[in-house]
Amino acid sequence: AQSVTQLGSHVSVSEGALVLLRCNYSSSVPPYLFWYVQYPNQGLQLLLKYTSAATLVKGINGFEAEFKKSETSFHLTKPSAHMSDAAEYFCAVEGGGTSYGKLTFGQGTILTVHP
Amino acid sequence: GAGVSQSPSNKVTEKGKDVELRCDPISGHTALYWYRQSLGQGLEFLIYFQGNSAPDKSGLPSDRFSAERTGGSVSTLTIQRTQQEDSAVYLCASSLEGRGSGNTIYFGEGSWLTVV
């Protein structure tokens, strides 16, 4: 079975500081990996995805994530946080085996940005 | 439409009543998903439709939950004899192709269900 673990349910940073949201996955096959963002009272919006091309993936709003197979990680980063980045972020994996193609989400990380 | 459309956006119902939640996917998308988002439970997969194939119902939590997709487009999620633990946001999503494709899955804004 595949699973996703997001380390830290809440992350707080100052405006202009580095954002690092951690995601580790387990999957029996090379996965597709995604980061979604959810703003208050809205649906999920795709930030970026890894589909076995470049291991460093750039997404919208200045976010990027690096796929590290040896660490089974797909951490999300942004060099400089903006107030508008405050939201909940979900990492997700689409794997194989008995979980073929099923998108499994992590528990989410709420990002707070302080002025 | 431009995006995945869900209705109602908010629904308050009495315990024991049946509710229907509707999803209109992006035009041309063959895959449709229902997820449930509740506090402390994260995002749970409920059911998946792909074209004319039999749906994957493996995530439905009980036989009170059912879903159908008519004409390969609009989907309805039905919850019978609602319980308080059914209170959650029900998210519908669609993608151009189905599983294993790495396609982007587009989510609607959800239907917030409160059972009182």
Side-chain angles (χ1 to χ4, degrees):
Chain A
Q2 62 192 27
S3 65
V4 178
T5 302
Q6 291 183 238
L7 298 175
S9 58
H10 290 79
V11 170
S12 180
V13 300
S14 299
E15 192 174 20
L18 171 72
V19 176
L20 171 61
L21 304 181
R22 300 178 186 274
C23 172
N24 288 88
Y25 70 91
S26 67
S27 175
S28 59
V29 298
Y32 299 120
L33 293 158
F34 306 80
W35 274 99
Y36 281 85
V37 60
Q38 186 176 34
Y39 297 102
N41 301 315
Q42 294 187 26
L44 278 75
Q45 179 183 1
L46 181 71
L47 273 179
L48 50 81
K49 65 179 180 180
Y50 167 75
T51 57
S52 74
T55 56
L56 182 62
V57 181
K58 294 186 184 297
I60 62 172
N61 301 338
F63 284 92
E64 62 182 37
E66 185 172 8
F67 171 66
K68 291 187 176 180
K69 184 178 178 180
S70 61
E71 299 177 8
T72 60
S73 68
F74 191 57
H75 301 330
L76 181 70
T77 61
K78 181 173 180 177
S80 177
H82 293 167
M83 297 296 289
S84 60
D85 294 327
E88 188 163 16
Y89 292 79
F90 293 91
C91 183
V93 59
E94 181 183 347
T98 57
S99 301
Y100 175 69
K102 185 179 295 183
L103 199 62
T104 301
F105 286 88
Q107 293 287 357
T109 299
I110 296 173
L111 176 66
T112 303
V113 182
H114 296 290
Chain B
V4 178
S5 178
Q6 292 187 245
S7 61
S9 54
N10 284 284
K11 175 74 175 179
V12 179
T13 191
E14 292 182 353
K15 178 181 173 181
K17 300 281 190 182
D18 296 353
V19 296
E20 286 189 350
L21 307 176
R22 175 189 167 103
C23 173
D24 202 340
I26 294 172
S27 178
H29 280 195
T30 63
L32 187 147
Y33 310 74
W34 282 98
Y35 281 82
R36 179 170 69 176
Q37 185 177 23
S38 48
L39 202 59
Q41 297 295 324
L43 280 150
E44 300 173 79
F45 165 79
L46 295 178
I47 189 168
Y48 162 75
F49 296 91
Q50 172 60 52
N52 296 320
S53 301
D56 177 353
K57 304 179 182 180
S58 60
L60 294 178
S62 77
D63 58 8
R64 296 187 295 105
F65 287 73
S66 63
E68 62 178 21
R69 188 179 185 192
T70 54
S73 182
V74 172
S75 176
T76 302
L77 177 69
T78 302
I79 309 173
Q80 295 178 308
R81 305 181 303 281
T82 52
Q83 303 294 314
Q84 288 185 329
E85 61 263 27
D86 299 335
S87 297
V89 179
Y90 290 83
L91 293 167
C92 179
S94 70
S95 67
L96 188 60
E97 297 176 12
R99 292 166 151 179
S101 64
N103 272 187
T104 298
I105 298 176
Y106 296 88
F107 284 82
E109 296 198 350
S111 291
W112 193 292
L113 175 66
T114 303
V115 182
V116 296

